[in-house]
Amino acid sequence: MTINEKKIPSVEEVSNALAKMIADKMEIDITTVLPESNLQELGLDSLDTFDIIFSAEDYFKIKVPNDQVKITTLQDVAVLVHQLILSQKS
Amino acid sequence: MAHLSNSQRVVITGLSIVSPLGNTIAELTRNVFSGVSGIKRLNMPFVDEMDCKIAAQAQFDPANHFSKHTYSMLDRTSQIALYTSVEAIKDANLIIDDAMKPRMGIYLGTGMGGAQSIEDGYVRLYKEGASRLKPFTVLMSMNNAAASAIALEHQLTGPNQTFSTACSSSAVAIGEASRLIRHGYADVMLAGGTEALLTFGTMKAWEALRTLAEEDVDDIGASCKPFSVDRTGLVLGEGSAMLVLESYEHAVTRGAKIYAEIAGYGAANDCNHITQPSVSGQSATMQAALNDADLSANAIQYINAHGTGTKLNDITETNSIKKVFGSHAYELSVSSTKSMHGHLMGAAGALEAVITTLAVHSNTLPPTINLAHPDLECDLDYVPNHSKTLTKLEYAMSNSFAFGGTGAALILKKLN
């Protein structure tokens, strides 16, 4: 995976990148990782979720404030990360 | 102090290793009794930045044995310990049912814990300027991570403790675990050690202590020369060794094979110097084990020495053996298998306990290799260069002495 640092990714592109991170980490079929997927139901515990947030920080070059990590679905993460990309790159 | 009157006998029913001499008991047996060296050129990306370019590495890729998810949450020190726990239980042919789980636990020794994980964190903070660390950093680097992973894997709800007394860590773990069974607190214990300290920072720290062996330019495998006049120090090694300990009654009831009995365990402290061993501390350790086993010194036929290959240790240990065993010191045999597998630090005592168990089981003494030029101050029978077979090896001792002063000795007995 690579990121074009000059281009702001769409929510869908963020979601796709996160889905790949989750599928790789949890060794599950990426087609089962859908935007509406509940992360807990995918097998991620709270530490796994923080690990994915951590990976997203590295990948998208952003910082996720701890008090904003209130996540249940992939879509929640994607929207949060997308907002942070917009705010922290503007 | 003799055994408590109502105590249980403790036997060894399972063995497993990840080591510089192989990752199965069959490989270890073949190599250690044939005098094969596991010391090689260090295979790490940072080798060019090391003054010391040799080590005893375990050829073991954990990625072949764990799911990616499990693998990513464990430091190498936990990965190899978890693997050996699974294999030891298999070797013991032990089925862990719900009734057994509260009566079974894990005592583990490690010197440096998750060295790579803590180092990765520091690199990220201090070198790369990151503002936060991976969420698993604490959970991977804490010293009890390996024991916890093992308990979780096998659902062992009995006692779980990690001992960290540097080079005697896992001998202490085995001794303390045997006492738990002996005194009725558990029926079965996994006991052993793990160490994966071949990281850049840790090796640099060891270099600074100036106790590491110089590379033998003619034969890297001969770089560790315990009891030899031209010895230059120890060689760092990595690995894990695990024993299944069981009360004799429990083992016999389920029809388990028995390798040997743990007849005694002694521990003492030098209180001399943080790195320099003393005859008083080492001899007190061995005497404590003899007292624990209620044995006279003449009963011991073989000692697997701590035998690091440093100038100071080998003479001190030799003199300590003479102090405890008197004239019998010249009749028993001593060897340092570190000449082959290097010094596994927190896991050393466990690997050497496994080797001593195999010796008792097979009536064969492993050699001290690279012993061509004996130090005149080291004048015992060190089983030089080739293994030796006895008609019957009934009692053997395994010594471990540590920086910080903590010594531990285990006595292994052939089961009659």
Side-chain angles (χ1 to χ4, degrees):
Chain A
M1 278 193 299
T2 56
I3 179 174
N4 182 342
E5 296 197 16
K6 292 181 181 172
K7 177 177 173 288
I8 302 291
S10 66
V11 173
E12 187 182 3
E13 287 169 328
V14 171
S15 181
N16 289 343
L18 291 169
K20 183 163 186 339
M21 289 176 200
I22 291 169
D24 280 351
K25 179 178 173 60
M26 305 307 293
E27 291 185 284
I28 53 179
D29 188 336
I30 194 166
T31 61
T32 66
V33 186
L34 304 171
E36 62 271 25
S37 295
N38 182 299
L39 298 189
Q40 200 172 358
E41 288 169 4
L42 291 175
L44 283 80
D45 62 20
S46 59
L47 284 168
D48 292 323
T49 303
F50 275 110
D51 207 35
I52 291 295
I53 296 288
F54 182 88
S55 300
E57 286 185 331
D58 272 3
Y59 183 71
F60 293 110
K61 313 291 184 215
I62 56 169
K63 178 83 184 286
V64 181
N66 285 338
D67 60 2
Q68 293 190 27
V69 185
K70 295 168 187 165
I71 289 155
T72 53
T73 66
L74 171 58
Q75 182 69 11
D76 294 335
V77 188
V79 168
L80 171 64
V81 168
H82 186 254
Q83 285 172 349
L84 291 169
I85 293 170
L86 288 174
S87 65
Q88 293 179 14
K89 293 201 170 181
S90 58
Chain B
M1 187 181 77
H3 291 180
L4 299 181
S5 58
N6 59 349
S7 66
Q8 299 285 321
R9 293 170 70 188
V10 182
V11 295
I12 300 166
T13 57
L15 298 172
S16 173
I17 48 107
V18 165
S19 86
L21 296 179
N23 303 324
T24 67
I25 294 300
E27 286 175 326
L28 173 68
T29 302
R30 192 163 57 244
N31 289 327
V32 82
F33 291 116
S34 303
V36 173
S37 176
I39 296 167
K40 296 184 171 67
R41 179 61 57 105
L42 177 67
N43 179 23
M44 285 290 196
F46 55 81
V47 65
D48 290 341
E49 297 175 67
M50 298 297 303
D51 295 328
C52 169
K53 299 181 189 299
I54 56 173
Q57 287 179 273
Q59 304 304 310
F60 182 81
D61 185 356
N64 295 333
H65 301 280
F66 300 110
S67 72
K68 192 173 176 183
H69 186 236
T70 302
Y71 174 81
S72 69
M73 291 194 299
L74 299 175
D75 185 272
R76 180 171 174 82
T77 191
S78 295
Q79 292 164 353
I80 57 179
L82 183 57
Y83 174 80
T84 54
S85 77
V86 171
E87 293 301 308
I89 288 168
K90 270 191 218 168
D91 185 50
N93 200 22
L94 188 66
I95 308 297
I96 305 172
D97 59 23
D98 286 345
M100 191 186 296
K101 287 171 184 172
R103 298 286 300 163
M104 181 171 175
I106 162 80
Y107 273 14
L108 197 69
T110 184
M112 305 295 295
Q116 186 67 61
S117 297
I118 198 86
E119 194 166 311
D120 287 347
Y122 288 155
V123 167
R124 197 171 167 80
L125 273 183
Y126 299 135
K127 192 172 177 183
E128 298 172 357
S131 61
R132 66 169 77 180
L133 294 182
K134 291 181 180 178
F136 289 103
T137 302
V138 169
L139 310 177
M140 292 168 75
S141 59
M142 62 189 193
N143 271 24
N144 64 328
S148 295
I150 290 167
L152 197 61
E153 171 69 21
H154 305 290
Q155 292 293 291
L156 309 179
T157 57
N160 180 331
Q161 291 187 26
T162 300
F163 297 84
S164 194
T165 56
C167 310
S168 62
S169 300
S170 52
V172 169
I174 294 166
E176 296 295 333
S178 71
R179 282 184 174 170
L180 272 189
I181 295 171
R182 190 198 296 177
H183 297 164
Y185 295 102
D187 296 323
V188 188
M189 289 292 292
L190 281 167
T194 187
E195 201 75 85
L197 47 53
L198 302 180
T199 73
F200 184 45
T202 307
M203 289 195 74
K204 274 289 174 192
W206 274 93
E207 264 187 5
L209 276 171
R210 304 197 180 282
T211 56
L212 299 185
E214 293 171 12
E215 179 177 329
D216 185 317
V217 292
D218 297 322
D219 178 5
I220 288 177
S223 296
C224 185
K225 300 176 172 68
F227 308 113
S228 181
V229 72
D230 52 352
R231 67 191 183 280
T232 56
L234 60 91
V235 174
L236 290 174
E238 63 164 0
S240 175
M242 202 68 66
L243 296 81
V244 175
L245 308 185
E246 213 167 334
S247 73
Y248 176 75
E249 189 178 342
H250 193 276
V252 168
T253 300
R254 72 180 186 88
K257 72 174 182 299
I258 295 173
Y259 286 103
E261 179 173 354
I262 296 189
Y265 158 59
N269 211 75
D270 273 317
C271 293
N272 177 55
H273 184 275
I274 194 75
T275 60
Q276 294 174 14
S278 72
V279 169
S280 62
Q282 293 195 347
S283 59
T285 301
M286 287 184 265
Q287 189 61 55
L290 288 169
N291 294 351
D292 190 52
D294 210 8
L295 277 180
S296 73
N298 289 352
I300 303 295
Q301 296 162 274
Y302 166 67
I303 299 175
N304 187 294
H306 187 56
T308 54
T310 62
K311 291 287 178 194
L312 198 55
N313 174 81
D314 295 1
I315 294 173
T316 306
E317 190 168 12
T318 297
N319 290 335
S320 301
I321 291 168
K322 289 178 190 173
K323 180 176 180 185
V324 173
F325 293 91
S327 60
H328 183 62
Y330 294 94
E331 293 164 8
L332 55 76
S333 297
V334 179
S335 66
S336 169
T337 49
K338 285 188 179 74
S339 56
M340 294 174 273
H341 55 63
H343 195 340
L344 274 61
M345 301 298 152
L351 179 61
E352 289 157 25
V354 168
I355 291 168
T356 308
T357 300
L358 295 172
V360 168
H361 194 59
S362 64
N363 300 312
T364 308
L365 311 182
T368 308
I369 66 167
N370 314 318
L371 185 44
H373 309 290
D375 183 340
L376 294 179
E377 291 190 72
C378 299
D379 58 350
L380 302 178
D381 170 18
Y382 301 104
V383 196
N385 305 314
H386 301 287
S387 60
K388 185 162 80 178
T389 301
L390 303 184
T391 307
K392 185 180 181 184
L393 175 55
E394 191 166 17
Y395 286 104
M397 179 181 280
S398 180
N399 281 345
S400 298
F401 303 115
F403 282 171
T406 306
L410 298 164
I411 296 176
L412 285 303
K413 179 189 178 191
K414 185 184 290 297
L415 197 77
N416 293 314

